[in-house]
Amino acid sequence: MPPHVPEDLSRTIETLYRSESGRILATLVRLLGDLDLAEEAMHEAFAAALDRWPQTGIPDNPRPWLISTARFKAIDGMRRRARFDGVERELALHLEAQINEARINEAPGETPQEEEIEDDRLRLIFTCCHPALPPEGQVALTLREVCGLTTEEIARAFLVTPATLAQRIVRAKAVIRDKAIPYQVPVSQELSARLGAALQVVYLVFNAGYSAQATGAELSREAIRLARLLLDLLPEPEVMGLLGLMLLQESHRAARISPNGDLILLDQQDRSLWNKDQIAEGISLTESALRSRRFGAYTLQAAIAAVHAEASSVASTDWHQIILLYDQLIRIHPSPVVELNRAVAVAMCEGPEHGLRLIDGLLAREELANYHLAHSARADLCRRLGRLPEARASYEKALALARQEPERRFLAGRLRELK
């Protein structure tokens, strides 16, 4: 921070960066046509604010000031490089012509319309989540460019080095550039498939934060914020369903980990710690998505989470309803993990023998052979049936496969109890 910047102004600009950088960057990408150039120009504009605002004061509407400053910074940079690069010269002349035309057509002090800025954000989301990008690149680029998280923050959340994370972002940008991926919202016939990719990225971000427990709370909040943004910009039923699902899952955060960092299963959680506001909003969103009759897998998962949230205890849960919802989910989104979750619901509804039979059939398939939660579920059912040697063997297998420390501590505790 420059020494002449008052501390309160510095904090204001930092807050402004957190809240507005996504909107500003999205508009600059549209104006400049290049993600790297837009990002560099935006950072230069915020640096200019640190230099000028102590003397001039903060503008009444700082976002247009930052966009305009960034645009001129980009043109100045291209002018400097234009002596060596003919392409840069042409682009700089094109942008200058745009600005001159805008000055003629716009009234003095006119600012970009809010609808246009929000359209820009939607374009940026779909660009970052383009299926041509590798999944890890989609996640990293979305968090960096749309959510405004730093490379270090994203790397810490995903347990990788900043250098590794930076390379993911560089490679994703290279794909956008080399494949000339358009900066636009997909046309209607492509929207469903492309929206699915965007929602998958948001849910990957949420799950990364949720599995990281206390250290992942910020990442989960970013995913929920991103889903809210998508819902504001594109109020589709499945966006409602995903937001509802994440809110219902996040509502358990305070109850699912002990003060010592140990995992607490659903049937042992203190439900008074569940966030009632998140549950109410999650159920409302889920019901709205279901009423549309155009819902998908996220909405069905949210409906299952809502059944759990509305029960006063595991014993009072409507497990038959959960089985029916899993049946629908398997029809539209078949997955071994969904089948495993359904088998657990069957065990709760019809008895552990029925659930164990289903899980043994699933473990015979290659997809779940090395999935620690499948072995953990089998161990729990064997324990309930008194088949302790089998339970011990399955817990040991699950422990060998588990990676998250809270899960490892839980499984080790179960093994100690059996001994």
Side-chain angles (χ1 to χ4, degrees), residues 250-325:
E250 183 67 10
S251 71
H252 298 183
R253 181 178 288 276
R256 66 191 295 264
I257 297 295
S258 74
N260 296 326
D262 294 326
L263 191 65
I264 303 175
L265 295 186
L266 185 68
D267 60 343
Q268 298 171 333
Q269 289 179 15
D270 180 357
R271 297 192 176 212
S272 68
L273 297 176
W274 288 7
N275 188 310
K276 294 178 176 55
D277 291 337
Q278 289 179 330
I279 290 172
E281 184 183 2
I283 290 174
S284 175
L285 286 163
T286 303
E287 290 174 344
S288 296
L290 288 170
R291 281 195 298 269
S292 75
R293 312 300 299 173
R294 295 188 293 114
F295 55 83
Y298 293 119
T299 299
L300 285 171
Q301 292 177 74
I304 292 167
V307 174
H308 284 295
E310 291 175 316
S312 59
S313 68
V314 168
S316 64
T317 301
D318 187 347
W319 290 104
H320 180 67
Q321 176 68 17
I322 287 177
I323 292 171
L324 293 176
L325 289 167

Side-chain angles (χ1 to χ4, degrees), residues 238 295-298 300 326-334:
E238 196 63 345
F295 55 83
Y298 293 119
L300 285 171
Y326 273 125
D327 288 340
Q328 290 189 58
L329 184 56
I330 289 170
R331 277 196 294 273
I332 69 170
H333 187 70

Side-chain angles (χ1 to χ4, degrees), residues 37 40 74 76-86 88-89:
L37 183 61
E40 179 184 351
D76 288 342
M78 284 185 288
R79 278 177 180 155
R80 290 192 298 270
R81 295 189 292 269
R83 290 172 296 178
F84 309 103
D85 190 333
E88 290 279 4
R89 186 183 305 112

Side-chain angles (χ1 to χ4, degrees), residues 98-168:
Q98 281 186 329
I99 290 176
N100 289 333
E101 182 181 353
R103 284 172 173 161
I104 293 171
N105 296 329
E106 291 176 4
E110 186 174 323
T111 62
Q113 294 297 310
E114 191 68 28
E115 294 83 0
E116 184 178 55
I117 290 172
E118 297 308 334
D119 286 346
D120 289 338
R121 299 185 80 188
L122 193 56
R123 292 187 189 100
L124 183 57
I125 290 171
F126 277 105
T127 301
C128 292
C129 297
H130 194 282
L133 276 62
E136 66 274 10
Q138 294 177 22
V139 171
L141 201 60
T142 301
L143 287 172
R144 182 74 184 85
E145 309 301 356
V146 180
C147 297
L149 298 186
T150 67
T151 301
E152 291 74 17
E153 287 172 331
I154 305 168
R156 189 163 55 247
F158 284 93
L159 304 178
V160 299
T161 65
T164 298
L165 198 286
Q167 279 301 310
R168 291 179 184 177

Side-chain angles (χ1 to χ4, degrees), residues 23-36:
R23 292 180 174 88
I24 293 168
L25 180 68
T27 298
L28 288 172
V29 174
R30 171 172 58 84
L31 296 174
L32 302 176
D34 183 276
L35 192 52
D36 282 326

